[in-house]
Amino acid sequence: KQWYQRRVAITAGGMKELVKAINFACVKHTDQRRKNAAKTPYINHPVGVMHILCEEAGITDIPTLMGAVLHDTVEDTDTSTQEILEAFGEEVAGIVNEVTDDKNLPKAERKRLQVVNAPHKSEKAKLVKLADKLYNLRDLSKETPQGWTEERVKDYRLWASKVCTGLVGTNSTLEGNLQAELASHGIKFPCAEK
């Protein structure tokens, strides 16, 4: 069946919370754009991450899907962790917090910590992280972001492979899709180096 033909039992309360999270993310990311030539709306990314989880990985858990659509709000907008907690509760705030980098740290340290901390994330945060990396890798295959060199693209792919190696055992479908995406660029996943 096509994704729009699949029916999943979601409670009215769950649907209401998911729509609330989608709207929240849309408002928070309103003026942001992706770094591609078309400058597509940034919101396409978190919605796409949520779609990968739902469609490809078969995830129907509402807090996980909410965490996916909200995953960049604290890191990339003026949203605070407290705001997520108050609006969506402890579980969703925890997922978002787990996948949020500390922007006070240098970029190299943030990237290092993603690799080191990946195996220690909750199952739901691991799912969001896998889908996020898969979305970004697919975007890189479509188009190099403005201002990026081929070397930077290659480095991102290698780093993403290291991060996701720490997530192996979370969802075989997502891991298989990551493996195929990385292999199409000559990168082994899971990688030997963590």
Side-chain angles (χ1 to χ4, degrees), residues 80-138:
S80 69
T81 304
Q82 186 63 32
E83 192 176 355
I84 298 291
L85 178 64
E86 290 171 5
F88 303 106
E90 192 173 315
E91 183 177 17
V92 173
I95 295 166
V96 173
N97 191 50
E98 282 188 82
V99 298
T100 298
D101 286 347
D102 181 350
K103 289 281 190 128
N104 294 315
L105 297 173
K107 186 175 183 177
E109 179 64 4
R110 293 192 314 259
K111 290 181 83 164
R112 185 190 75 78
L113 287 173
Q114 278 201 41
V115 174
V116 170
N117 293 332
H120 310 292
K121 302 288 182 194
S122 69
E123 202 72 12
K124 293 177 182 189
K126 286 179 179 182
L127 285 166
V128 173
K129 186 65 78 175
L130 281 168
D132 180 37
K133 293 295 182 262
L134 182 56
Y135 185 99
N136 287 335
L137 289 165
R138 286 175 174 167

Tab-separated table of all heavy atoms in Angstrom, residues 80-138:
chain	number	residue	atom	x	y	z
A	80	SER	N	13.086	27.006	24.291
A	80	SER	CA	13.832	26.451	25.420
A	80	SER	C	13.339	25.032	25.716
A	80	SER	O	12.224	24.659	25.348
A	80	SER	CB	13.640	27.323	26.663
A	80	SER	OG	12.309	27.220	27.127
A	81	THR	N	14.180	24.290	26.394
A	81	THR	CA	13.781	22.948	26.830
A	81	THR	C	12.565	23.038	27.743
A	81	THR	O	11.661	22.194	27.669
A	81	THR	CB	14.956	22.257	27.567
A	81	THR	OG1	16.086	22.237	26.697
A	81	THR	CG2	14.610	20.848	27.973
A	82	GLN	N	12.530	24.068	28.578
A	82	GLN	CA	11.398	24.268	29.483
A	82	GLN	C	10.093	24.474	28.708
A	82	GLN	O	9.049	23.970	29.092
A	82	GLN	CB	11.673	25.470	30.410
A	82	GLN	CG	10.628	25.673	31.490
A	82	GLN	CD	10.534	24.502	32.466
A	82	GLN	OE1	11.516	23.841	32.756
A	82	GLN	NE2	9.345	24.238	32.967
A	83	GLU	N	10.181	25.206	27.602
A	83	GLU	CA	8.998	25.445	26.774
A	83	GLU	C	8.466	24.138	26.188
A	83	GLU	O	7.253	23.893	26.175
A	83	GLU	CB	9.377	26.416	25.651
A	83	GLU	CG	8.218	26.978	24.879
A	83	GLU	CD	8.651	28.015	23.851
A	83	GLU	OE1	9.851	28.383	23.796
A	83	GLU	OE2	7.775	28.461	23.102
A	84	ILE	N	9.366	23.267	25.743
A	84	ILE	CA	8.957	21.956	25.222
A	84	ILE	C	8.341	21.126	26.342
A	84	ILE	O	7.299	20.482	26.163
A	84	ILE	CB	10.156	21.205	24.587
A	84	ILE	CG1	10.726	21.972	23.395
A	84	ILE	CG2	9.773	19.786	24.185
A	84	ILE	CD1	9.832	22.035	22.183
A	85	LEU	N	8.957	21.157	27.507
A	85	LEU	CA	8.444	20.422	28.668
A	85	LEU	C	7.029	20.866	29.015
A	85	LEU	O	6.131	20.031	29.200
A	85	LEU	CB	9.380	20.624	29.864
A	85	LEU	CG	8.968	19.968	31.177
A	85	LEU	CD1	8.940	18.455	31.054
A	85	LEU	CD2	9.912	20.389	32.298
A	86	GLU	N	6.814	22.157	29.090
A	86	GLU	CA	5.501	22.684	29.463
A	86	GLU	C	4.442	22.412	28.395
A	86	GLU	O	3.292	22.139	28.719
A	86	GLU	CB	5.595	24.186	29.744
A	86	GLU	CG	6.366	24.484	31.019
A	86	GLU	CD	6.673	25.959	31.219
A	86	GLU	OE1	6.211	26.809	30.414
A	86	GLU	OE2	7.405	26.275	32.181
A	87	ALA	N	4.828	22.463	27.136
A	87	ALA	CA	3.861	22.277	26.051
A	87	ALA	C	3.569	20.807	25.755
A	87	ALA	O	2.443	20.462	25.403
A	87	ALA	CB	4.360	22.971	24.786
A	88	PHE	N	4.591	19.930	25.921
A	88	PHE	CA	4.440	18.556	25.439
A	88	PHE	C	4.772	17.476	26.458
A	88	PHE	O	4.658	16.291	26.168
A	88	PHE	CB	5.300	18.360	24.180
A	88	PHE	CG	4.947	19.330	23.096
A	88	PHE	CD1	5.778	20.397	22.809
A	88	PHE	CD2	3.761	19.211	22.387
A	88	PHE	CE1	5.453	21.320	21.826
A	88	PHE	CE2	3.419	20.117	21.410
A	88	PHE	CZ	4.265	21.184	21.122
A	89	GLY	N	5.200	17.860	27.648
A	89	GLY	CA	5.438	16.878	28.696
A	89	GLY	C	6.862	16.347	28.731
A	89	GLY	O	7.684	16.602	27.850
A	90	GLU	N	7.106	15.589	29.792
A	90	GLU	CA	8.449	15.103	30.110
A	90	GLU	C	9.018	14.149	29.068
A	90	GLU	O	10.192	14.245	28.700
A	90	GLU	CB	8.415	14.421	31.475
A	90	GLU	CG	9.765	14.126	32.051
A	90	GLU	CD	9.671	13.616	33.482
A	90	GLU	OE1	8.911	14.192	34.280
A	90	GLU	OE2	10.365	12.630	33.764
A	91	GLU	N	8.202	13.231	28.569
A	91	GLU	CA	8.723	12.238	27.627
A	91	GLU	C	9.201	12.889	26.329
A	91	GLU	O	10.318	12.634	25.866
A	91	GLU	CB	7.670	11.169	27.316
A	91	GLU	CG	8.192	10.079	26.402
A	91	GLU	CD	7.185	8.964	26.147
A	91	GLU	OE1	5.985	9.162	26.400
A	91	GLU	OE2	7.627	7.904	25.677
A	92	VAL	N	8.380	13.740	25.748
A	92	VAL	CA	8.749	14.405	24.493
A	92	VAL	C	9.930	15.349	24.723
A	92	VAL	O	10.877	15.379	23.929
A	92	VAL	CB	7.541	15.145	23.876
A	92	VAL	CG1	7.958	15.970	22.671
A	92	VAL	CG2	6.448	14.150	23.506
A	93	ALA	N	9.897	16.100	25.808
A	93	ALA	CA	11.009	17.007	26.123
A	93	ALA	C	12.306	16.220	26.287
A	93	ALA	O	13.375	16.676	25.863
A	93	ALA	CB	10.703	17.813	27.381
A	94	GLY	N	12.212	15.036	26.877
A	94	GLY	CA	13.399	14.194	27.045
A	94	GLY	C	13.983	13.758	25.717
A	94	GLY	O	15.203	13.789	25.523
A	95	ILE	N	13.126	13.360	24.789
A	95	ILE	CA	13.582	12.955	23.454
A	95	ILE	C	14.276	14.134	22.766
A	95	ILE	O	15.382	14.011	22.237
A	95	ILE	CB	12.410	12.432	22.594
A	95	ILE	CG1	11.822	11.153	23.189
A	95	ILE	CG2	12.863	12.196	21.143
A	95	ILE	CD1	10.471	10.748	22.609
A	96	VAL	N	13.618	15.286	22.774
A	96	VAL	CA	14.179	16.479	22.130
A	96	VAL	C	15.519	16.842	22.774
A	96	VAL	O	16.501	17.121	22.076
A	96	VAL	CB	13.192	17.665	22.175
A	96	VAL	CG1	13.842	18.946	21.672
A	96	VAL	CG2	11.932	17.346	21.365
A	97	ASN	N	15.561	16.799	24.086
A	97	ASN	CA	16.792	17.135	24.797
A	97	ASN	C	17.932	16.190	24.427
A	97	ASN	O	19.080	16.618	24.254
A	97	ASN	CB	16.545	17.125	26.307
A	97	ASN	CG	17.707	17.711	27.069
A	97	ASN	OD1	18.185	18.792	26.758
A	97	ASN	ND2	18.165	16.986	28.081
A	98	GLU	N	17.629	14.912	24.293
A	98	GLU	CA	18.659	13.924	23.960
A	98	GLU	C	19.276	14.142	22.579
A	98	GLU	O	20.429	13.781	22.355
A	98	GLU	CB	18.083	12.511	24.007
A	98	GLU	CG	17.933	11.942	25.391
A	98	GLU	CD	17.552	10.484	25.329
A	98	GLU	OE1	18.464	9.640	25.151
A	98	GLU	OE2	16.350	10.183	25.443
A	99	VAL	N	18.508	14.691	21.648
A	99	VAL	CA	19.021	14.872	20.281
A	99	VAL	C	19.465	16.307	20.009
A	99	VAL	O	19.811	16.657	18.888
A	99	VAL	CB	18.002	14.407	19.215
A	99	VAL	CG1	17.712	12.921	19.368
A	99	VAL	CG2	16.725	15.224	19.257
A	100	THR	N	19.475	17.135	21.043
A	100	THR	CA	19.869	18.538	20.903
A	100	THR	C	21.329	18.732	21.295
A	100	THR	O	21.743	18.339	22.380
A	100	THR	CB	18.963	19.433	21.788
A	100	THR	OG1	17.611	19.303	21.335
A	100	THR	CG2	19.381	20.888	21.720
A	101	ASP	N	22.079	19.355	20.384
A	101	ASP	CA	23.479	19.698	20.678
A	101	ASP	C	23.525	20.942	21.548
A	101	ASP	O	22.659	21.817	21.444
A	101	ASP	CB	24.243	20.002	19.384
A	101	ASP	CG	24.572	18.759	18.576
A	101	ASP	OD1	24.437	17.640	19.101
A	101	ASP	OD2	24.966	18.928	17.408
A	102	ASP	N	24.562	21.034	22.359
A	102	ASP	CA	24.816	22.228	23.168
A	102	ASP	C	25.574	23.225	22.302
A	102	ASP	O	26.763	23.059	22.038
A	102	ASP	CB	25.634	21.855	24.410
A	102	ASP	CG	25.930	23.035	25.312
A	102	ASP	OD1	25.673	24.193	24.916
A	102	ASP	OD2	26.433	22.798	26.426
A	103	LYS	N	24.881	24.260	21.841
A	103	LYS	CA	25.477	25.244	20.931
A	103	LYS	C	26.547	26.104	21.608
A	103	LYS	O	27.220	26.877	20.939
A	103	LYS	CB	24.388	26.139	20.326
A	103	LYS	CG	23.501	25.430	19.323
A	103	LYS	CD	24.200	25.310	17.981
A	103	LYS	CE	23.266	24.827	16.914
A	103	LYS	NZ	23.213	25.623	15.729
A	104	ASN	N	26.701	25.977	22.919
A	104	ASN	CA	27.765	26.698	23.615
A	104	ASN	C	29.126	26.036	23.408
A	104	ASN	O	30.156	26.641	23.679
A	104	ASN	CB	27.465	26.803	25.116
A	104	ASN	CG	26.250	27.661	25.391
A	104	ASN	OD1	26.101	28.735	24.822
A	104	ASN	ND2	25.370	27.173	26.248
A	105	LEU	N	29.111	24.795	22.953
A	105	LEU	CA	30.353	24.067	22.703
A	105	LEU	C	30.834	24.313	21.276
A	105	LEU	O	30.025	24.545	20.378
A	105	LEU	CB	30.131	22.566	22.906
A	105	LEU	CG	29.741	22.112	24.308
A	105	LEU	CD1	29.392	20.629	24.307
A	105	LEU	CD2	30.848	22.412	25.299
A	106	PRO	N	32.131	24.216	21.046
A	106	PRO	CA	32.639	24.332	19.673
A	106	PRO	C	32.064	23.217	18.797
A	106	PRO	O	31.763	22.117	19.279
A	106	PRO	CB	34.157	24.171	19.830
A	106	PRO	CG	34.439	24.403	21.280
A	106	PRO	CD	33.197	24.033	22.029
A	107	LYS	N	31.930	23.496	17.511
A	107	LYS	CA	31.316	22.540	16.576
A	107	LYS	C	32.017	21.176	16.598
A	107	LYS	O	31.361	20.144	16.611
A	107	LYS	CB	31.332	23.120	15.164
A	107	LYS	CG	30.599	22.270	14.158
A	107	LYS	CD	30.545	22.943	12.805
A	107	LYS	CE	29.743	22.103	11.838
A	107	LYS	NZ	29.611	22.753	10.536
A	108	ALA	N	33.339	21.179	16.616
A	108	ALA	CA	34.082	19.912	16.614
A	108	ALA	C	33.748	19.081	17.855
A	108	ALA	O	33.613	17.855	17.777
A	108	ALA	CB	35.583	20.171	16.532
A	109	GLU	N	33.589	19.734	18.996
A	109	GLU	CA	33.243	19.026	20.230
A	109	GLU	C	31.813	18.497	20.167
A	109	GLU	O	31.533	17.378	20.612
A	109	GLU	CB	33.440	19.951	21.441
A	109	GLU	CG	33.072	19.321	22.775
A	109	GLU	CD	33.938	18.126	23.178
A	109	GLU	OE1	34.906	17.775	22.487
A	109	GLU	OE2	33.619	17.525	24.219
A	110	ARG	N	30.905	19.274	19.621
A	110	ARG	CA	29.514	18.803	19.468
A	110	ARG	C	29.470	17.555	18.593
A	110	ARG	O	28.764	16.584	18.904
A	110	ARG	CB	28.634	19.905	18.862
A	110	ARG	CG	28.442	21.097	19.758
A	110	ARG	CD	27.346	22.033	19.285
A	110	ARG	NE	27.344	22.379	17.890
A	110	ARG	CZ	27.807	23.524	17.371
A	110	ARG	NH1	28.358	24.433	18.159
A	110	ARG	NH2	27.722	23.762	16.082
A	111	LYS	N	30.225	17.570	17.511
A	111	LYS	CA	30.252	16.417	16.609
A	111	LYS	C	30.873	15.206	17.309
A	111	LYS	O	30.377	14.087	17.175
A	111	LYS	CB	31.013	16.777	15.333
A	111	LYS	CG	30.252	17.762	14.462
A	111	LYS	CD	30.993	18.099	13.203
A	111	LYS	CE	30.717	17.022	12.202
A	111	LYS	NZ	31.058	17.373	10.836
A	112	ARG	N	31.931	15.419	18.060
A	112	ARG	CA	32.587	14.330	18.795
A	112	ARG	C	31.611	13.716	19.801
A	112	ARG	O	31.499	12.494	19.918
A	112	ARG	CB	33.834	14.847	19.516
A	112	ARG	CG	34.639	13.752	20.218
A	112	ARG	CD	35.734	14.315	21.113
A	112	ARG	NE	35.203	14.866	22.348
A	112	ARG	CZ	34.817	14.150	23.402
A	112	ARG	NH1	34.887	12.843	23.384
A	112	ARG	NH2	34.346	14.745	24.489
A	113	LEU	N	30.886	14.574	20.506
A	113	LEU	CA	29.942	14.094	21.513
A	113	LEU	C	28.786	13.316	20.894
A	113	LEU	O	28.285	12.368	21.506
A	113	LEU	CB	29.417	15.261	22.351
A	113	LEU	CG	30.416	15.835	23.349
A	113	LEU	CD1	29.857	17.097	24.004
A	113	LEU	CD2	30.812	14.806	24.395
A	114	GLN	N	28.372	13.683	19.694
A	114	GLN	CA	27.317	12.898	19.041
A	114	GLN	C	27.776	11.457	18.818
A	114	GLN	O	27.013	10.518	19.029
A	114	GLN	CB	26.905	13.529	17.705
A	114	GLN	CG	25.917	14.662	17.872
A	114	GLN	CD	25.155	14.936	16.602
A	114	GLN	OE1	24.739	14.008	15.894
A	114	GLN	NE2	24.936	16.204	16.313
A	115	VAL	N	29.022	11.293	18.413
A	115	VAL	CA	29.564	9.941	18.184
A	115	VAL	C	29.664	9.185	19.507
A	115	VAL	O	29.205	8.048	19.628
A	115	VAL	CB	30.945	10.015	17.490
A	115	VAL	CG1	31.574	8.622	17.393
A	115	VAL	CG2	30.832	10.647	16.107
A	116	VAL	N	30.233	9.824	20.523
A	116	VAL	CA	30.451	9.196	21.825
A	116	VAL	C	29.130	8.854	22.519
A	116	VAL	O	28.984	7.780	23.118
A	116	VAL	CB	31.307	10.120	22.730
A	116	VAL	CG1	31.353	9.628	24.170
A	116	VAL	CG2	32.711	10.256	22.171
A	117	ASN	N	28.157	9.754	22.437
A	117	ASN	CA	26.908	9.585	23.188
A	117	ASN	C	25.837	8.763	22.472
A	117	ASN	O	24.876	8.323	23.115
A	117	ASN	CB	26.342	10.955	23.557
A	117	ASN	CG	27.229	11.682	24.544
A	117	ASN	OD1	27.937	11.068	25.336
A	117	ASN	ND2	27.205	12.998	24.493
A	118	ALA	N	25.982	8.552	21.183
A	118	ALA	CA	24.939	7.851	20.416
A	118	ALA	C	24.495	6.528	21.047
A	118	ALA	O	23.292	6.288	21.188
A	118	ALA	CB	25.392	7.643	18.972
A	119	PRO	N	25.413	5.658	21.468
A	119	PRO	CA	24.967	4.365	22.007
A	119	PRO	C	24.203	4.471	23.326
A	119	PRO	O	23.527	3.531	23.727
A	119	PRO	CB	26.281	3.600	22.236
A	119	PRO	CG	27.332	4.328	21.499
A	119	PRO	CD	26.873	5.746	21.398
A	120	HIS	N	24.285	5.617	23.984
A	120	HIS	CA	23.698	5.768	25.313
A	120	HIS	C	22.354	6.493	25.302
A	120	HIS	O	21.797	6.761	26.371
A	120	HIS	CB	24.695	6.499	26.223
A	120	HIS	CG	26.064	5.892	26.175
A	120	HIS	ND1	26.350	4.640	26.678
A	120	HIS	CD2	27.213	6.340	25.615
A	120	HIS	CE1	27.619	4.360	26.445
A	120	HIS	NE2	28.166	5.370	25.808
A	121	LYS	N	21.846	6.792	24.121
A	121	LYS	CA	20.558	7.471	24.009
A	121	LYS	C	19.415	6.487	24.273
A	121	LYS	O	19.583	5.268	24.154
A	121	LYS	CB	20.385	8.063	22.599
A	121	LYS	CG	21.457	9.038	22.171
A	121	LYS	CD	21.346	10.332	22.890
A	121	LYS	CE	22.400	11.322	22.421
A	121	LYS	NZ	22.518	12.451	23.304
A	122	SER	N	18.254	7.034	24.589
A	122	SER	CA	17.064	6.182	24.731
A	122	SER	C	16.693	5.633	23.354
A	122	SER	O	17.128	6.151	22.317
A	122	SER	CB	15.897	7.002	25.282
A	122	SER	OG	15.454	7.940	24.302
A	123	GLU	N	15.900	4.594	23.338
A	123	GLU	CA	15.468	3.975	22.079
A	123	GLU	C	14.759	4.991	21.179
A	123	GLU	O	14.993	5.038	19.974
A	123	GLU	CB	14.533	2.795	22.389
A	123	GLU	CG	14.441	1.799	21.276
A	123	GLU	CD	15.702	0.962	21.100
A	123	GLU	OE1	16.601	0.965	21.946
A	123	GLU	OE2	15.776	0.285	20.062
A	124	LYS	N	13.911	5.823	21.765
A	124	LYS	CA	13.152	6.801	20.975
A	124	LYS	C	14.069	7.884	20.412
A	124	LYS	O	13.914	8.298	19.259
A	124	LYS	CB	12.023	7.398	21.815
A	124	LYS	CG	10.967	6.348	22.144
A	124	LYS	CD	9.860	6.869	23.025
A	124	LYS	CE	8.891	5.725	23.340
A	124	LYS	NZ	7.684	6.185	24.011
A	125	ALA	N	15.032	8.329	21.186
A	125	ALA	CA	15.993	9.322	20.693
A	125	ALA	C	16.868	8.718	19.591
A	125	ALA	O	17.195	9.400	18.612
A	125	ALA	CB	16.855	9.843	21.838
A	126	LYS	N	17.213	7.455	19.721
A	126	LYS	CA	18.003	6.787	18.685
A	126	LYS	C	17.231	6.746	17.365
A	126	LYS	O	17.812	6.949	16.296
A	126	LYS	CB	18.370	5.361	19.116
A	126	LYS	CG	19.450	5.293	20.171
A	126	LYS	CD	19.731	3.849	20.549
A	126	LYS	CE	20.839	3.747	21.584
A	126	LYS	NZ	21.143	2.347	21.927
A	127	LEU	N	15.939	6.460	17.446
A	127	LEU	CA	15.119	6.436	16.233
A	127	LEU	C	15.122	7.806	15.549
A	127	LEU	O	15.290	7.906	14.331
A	127	LEU	CB	13.684	6.026	16.569
A	127	LEU	CG	13.464	4.554	16.873
A	127	LEU	CD1	12.103	4.332	17.530
A	127	LEU	CD2	13.600	3.721	15.598
A	128	VAL	N	14.934	8.858	16.340
A	128	VAL	CA	14.931	10.214	15.781
A	128	VAL	C	16.295	10.520	15.160
A	128	VAL	O	16.380	11.059	14.053
A	128	VAL	CB	14.550	11.259	16.853
A	128	VAL	CG1	14.725	12.684	16.318
A	128	VAL	CG2	13.107	11.041	17.322
A	129	LYS	N	17.356	10.158	15.843
A	129	LYS	CA	18.714	10.432	15.346
A	129	LYS	C	18.969	9.692	14.034
A	129	LYS	O	19.518	10.261	13.089
A	129	LYS	CB	19.734	10.022	16.419
A	129	LYS	CG	21.156	10.360	16.118
A	129	LYS	CD	21.434	11.829	16.039
A	129	LYS	CE	21.547	12.476	17.379
A	129	LYS	NZ	21.942	13.899	17.252
A	130	LEU	N	18.572	8.418	13.953
A	130	LEU	CA	18.740	7.654	12.710
A	130	LEU	C	17.989	8.300	11.553
A	130	LEU	O	18.539	8.476	10.456
A	130	LEU	CB	18.240	6.216	12.896
A	130	LEU	CG	19.148	5.241	13.610
A	130	LEU	CD1	18.387	3.962	13.957
A	130	LEU	CD2	20.374	4.907	12.770
A	131	ALA	N	16.732	8.664	11.782
A	131	ALA	CA	15.927	9.265	10.720
A	131	ALA	C	16.470	10.636	10.318
A	131	ALA	O	16.460	11.003	9.140
A	131	ALA	CB	14.464	9.368	11.160
A	132	ASP	N	16.956	11.384	11.285
A	132	ASP	CA	17.536	12.703	11.015
A	132	ASP	C	18.768	12.572	10.112
A	132	ASP	O	18.905	13.285	9.110
A	132	ASP	CB	17.905	13.372	12.347
A	132	ASP	CG	18.523	14.744	12.192
A	132	ASP	OD1	18.107	15.509	11.299
A	132	ASP	OD2	19.413	15.070	12.995
A	133	LYS	N	19.650	11.660	10.462
A	133	LYS	CA	20.855	11.472	9.653
A	133	LYS	C	20.496	10.962	8.254
A	133	LYS	O	21.067	11.404	7.252
A	133	LYS	CB	21.834	10.508	10.335
A	133	LYS	CG	22.438	11.045	11.621
A	133	LYS	CD	23.321	12.258	11.373
A	133	LYS	CE	23.963	12.758	12.638
A	133	LYS	NZ	23.259	13.894	13.235
A	134	LEU	N	19.541	10.039	8.165
A	134	LEU	CA	19.126	9.517	6.868
A	134	LEU	C	18.559	10.631	5.992
A	134	LEU	O	18.899	10.738	4.818
A	134	LEU	CB	18.106	8.386	7.054
A	134	LEU	CG	17.599	7.705	5.788
A	134	LEU	CD1	18.753	7.147	4.945
A	134	LEU	CD2	16.621	6.586	6.155
A	135	TYR	N	17.725	11.478	6.556
A	135	TYR	CA	17.159	12.602	5.803
A	135	TYR	C	18.279	13.501	5.295
A	135	TYR	O	18.302	13.886	4.121
A	135	TYR	CB	16.188	13.395	6.681
A	135	TYR	CG	15.479	14.492	5.926
A	135	TYR	CD1	14.182	14.301	5.455
A	135	TYR	CD2	16.093	15.714	5.678
A	135	TYR	CE1	13.530	15.307	4.755
A	135	TYR	CE2	15.457	16.714	4.968
A	135	TYR	CZ	14.163	16.508	4.511
A	135	TYR	OH	13.528	17.510	3.807
A	136	ASN	N	19.220	13.850	6.168
A	136	ASN	CA	20.309	14.746	5.779
A	136	ASN	C	21.203	14.124	4.704
A	136	ASN	O	21.631	14.808	3.769
A	136	ASN	CB	21.145	15.148	6.996
A	136	ASN	CG	20.418	16.133	7.879
A	136	ASN	OD1	19.538	16.862	7.435
A	136	ASN	ND2	20.785	16.163	9.149
A	137	LEU	N	21.486	12.846	4.833
A	137	LEU	CA	22.321	12.167	3.838
A	137	LEU	C	21.625	12.128	2.481
A	137	LEU	O	22.268	12.332	1.435
A	137	LEU	CB	22.674	10.754	4.305
A	137	LEU	CG	23.665	10.687	5.471
A	137	LEU	CD1	23.675	9.306	6.090
A	137	LEU	CD2	25.068	11.096	5.019
A	138	ARG	N	20.343	11.889	2.482
A	138	ARG	CA	19.595	11.896	1.218
A	138	ARG	C	19.586	13.288	0.603
A	138	ARG	O	19.692	13.433	-0.616
A	138	ARG	CB	18.173	11.399	1.448
A	138	ARG	CG	18.098	9.899	1.681
A	138	ARG	CD	16.701	9.470	2.025
A	138	ARG	NE	16.602	8.016	2.116
A	138	ARG	CZ	15.571	7.382	2.645
A	138	ARG	NH1	14.528	8.062	3.122
A	138	ARG	NH2	15.548	6.067	2.697
